[in-house]
Amino acid sequence: MYVFWSERLLLHPAEEASRMSGRAPVFIITGEQGQCKTTFLHHVLGLTVGANVRVRGIIAPGHVRDGLRSGFTLVDLATGEHEELCSIDPDPRCEVHGRFYFRPEALAFGRRALAPPDPRSTDLLVVDEVGRFELQGAVWADQLDRLVGHPHPPMIWTVRRRLLHTVVERWNIQNAVVVDVGSASVMATADAVMDAVWEWREAQAFSRVMPAAPQADCIAGGSPVLADAAAAGASQNSPIILRRCYSP
């Protein structure tokens, strides 16, 4: 079971996913091929990173040659480093999946980026994209198995629409929040992701795995944070949760 998110839902999608499973939600950005799923994801990340969200994972912008997809670059979101992932140009050193030749050093690079995260230093994990190669057991399939097999922070995956149900069933995702790029807004999606991140941070704090404290008392624009536990009515022994006000 998973939530198809539209702005008509009365219950916030992150809250609904949490209610269903008690685990951090998996936001699945979906759309047709060429419908700018990665661009949508890029804009969402631009808003969340601005709120000091600690992101790990990969994003894979594509390349076009003569009107056709010709390859992908892989970016490690934790470090900003990048590698050419695959190309339609034949290369005997590469793994062949479909019409693409995947560079072995880039596959190793991506698998390191998708290692199970340290919950003390990760708020959000991104996988762009989960597709037919993973469903065939290749590329990032083993990493996804490990990620969903253990408690994890909120995640964002991108998935082509026609593969959505198969991906959800293959990885038995009980807490998916589906974000269709054809109808959802970037701002609303980022807001939902931020709510899930705060819930994750609070869960880590109350299990005495405290996240790193932010460096400032407010974000750009002067929005205050709840930094004074006494003012909030908490005892001196209560963990202090620094909740930044999310704004564009």
Side-chain angles (χ1 to χ4, degrees):
M1 178 180 181
Y2 48 94
V3 177
F4 277 98
W5 181 17
S6 80
E7 306 224 5
R8 295 186 295 273
L9 288 177
L10 296 179
L11 186 61
H12 195 286
E15 295 171 345
E16 174 66 10
S18 178
R19 181 187 66 78
M20 287 191 300
S21 69
R23 301 186 69 180
V26 179
F27 294 86
I28 300 181
I29 297 173
T30 192
E32 301 295 346
Q33 184 177 10
Q35 203 175 356
C36 300
K37 298 183 294 296
T38 297
T39 301
F40 188 99
L41 169 62
H42 179 77
H43 291 318
V44 169
L45 293 178
L47 293 171
T48 58
V49 170
N52 281 353
V53 174
R54 299 164 299 181
V55 182
R56 289 192 58 187
I58 55 173
I59 192 167
H63 310 294
V64 175
R65 183 191 306 166
D66 298 327
L68 296 174
R69 181 73 72 198
S70 61
F72 293 86
T73 294
L74 194 65
V75 181
D76 184 334
L77 291 170
T79 66
E81 297 175 341
H82 59 88
E83 290 270 359
E84 181 187 7
L85 175 59
C86 62
S87 170
I88 58 174
D89 298 324
D91 186 334
R93 302 180 307 113
C94 294
E95 289 186 19
V96 182
H97 300 291
R99 61 192 183 92
F100 292 102
Y101 294 80
F102 284 77
R103 300 172 67 242
E105 55 268 42
L107 289 171
F109 173 84
R111 287 161 184 160
R112 288 192 299 270
L114 291 176
D118 182 346
R120 296 168 297 181
S121 60
T122 306
D123 298 318
L124 182 66
L125 187 69
V126 175
V127 187
D128 175 40
E129 80 179 70
V130 181
R132 59 191 179 97
F133 301 143
E134 285 74 25
L135 289 169
Q136 295 166 357
V139 190
W140 317 128
D142 290 344
Q143 284 64 45
L144 296 176
D145 288 344
R146 285 195 286 270
L147 289 172
V148 300
H150 299 87
H152 56 75
M155 293 198 284
I156 305 178
W157 295 8
T158 61
V159 178
R160 196 174 301 177
R161 185 178 288 123
R162 67 181 179 84
L163 299 177
L164 173 63
H165 297 282
T166 307
V167 166
V168 170
E169 292 175 1
R170 162 63 179 82
W171 280 281
N172 192 28
I173 302 174
Q174 302 297 318
N175 51 355
V177 180
V178 177
V179 180
D180 193 310
V181 297
S183 57
S185 77
V186 169
M187 288 294 299
T189 303
D191 191 36
V193 170
M194 287 301 302
D195 279 354
V197 166
W198 297 132
E199 291 174 8
W200 166 256
R201 285 185 173 181
E202 289 174 351
Q204 298 307 300
F206 283 108
S207 65
R208 301 195 182 281
V209 182
M210 294 294 293
Q215 298 299 311
D217 290 337
C218 60
I219 62 172
S223 298
V225 297
L226 182 60
D228 188 343
S235 71
Q236 291 184 348
N237 293 326
S238 298
I240 298 174
I241 309 301
L242 299 179
R243 295 194 61 150
R244 294 178 181 271
C245 298
Y246 173 72
S247 62

